[in-house]
Amino acid sequence: MNKVELDRAREQLQTAQQAVSDDVLYGLVTTRLARVEAELGHYDAALSELKKITASSWIAKVQEIRGDILLRQGDSNAARGAYAASLEAADSPTVTMKLNNLSQ
């Protein structure tokens, strides 16, 4: 996706985020918005979006995405902690692989 498409996606997701009242759907929209913000290089905005998700069913995914963003920022120690928190919430072979890759 190019910047124009990402900006358009961000606008649409922000609109959807405001219209959603269901916790599960809110988590879906907000995690996608966080990923778009990260792709645009807006790491602080992405991390801020993730903090808005409070449903316990989203803990593992939020921590995984948080780890991905922190890693992109160059903070491998914080990313390691986020991946570990994700694994505490739910077992995931993908997150295990990401965490193992940080150890190398």
Side-chain angles (χ1 to χ4, degrees), residues 11-84:
E11 290 173 15
Q12 291 173 346
L13 288 166
Q14 287 170 333
T15 300
Q17 186 183 48
Q18 294 172 0
V20 172
S21 60
D22 177 74
D23 283 347
V24 174
L25 192 52
Y26 183 84
L28 177 65
V29 170
T30 305
T31 55
R32 289 186 179 178
L33 178 56
R35 288 180 187 269
V36 168
E37 292 286 13
E39 194 61 34
L40 286 165
H42 305 156
Y43 301 123
D44 291 338
L47 293 170
S48 179
E49 288 299 331
L50 292 176
K51 289 179 184 177
K52 295 178 183 178
I53 302 169
T54 59
S56 60
S57 60
W58 281 96
I59 292 172
K61 185 51 75 178
V62 165
Q63 290 299 329
E64 178 185 359
I65 296 169
R66 186 172 164 268
D68 293 345
I69 293 167
L70 292 167
L71 190 60
R72 287 179 77 172
Q73 286 182 300
D75 192 346
S76 58
N77 286 332
R80 185 176 289 110
Y83 291 147

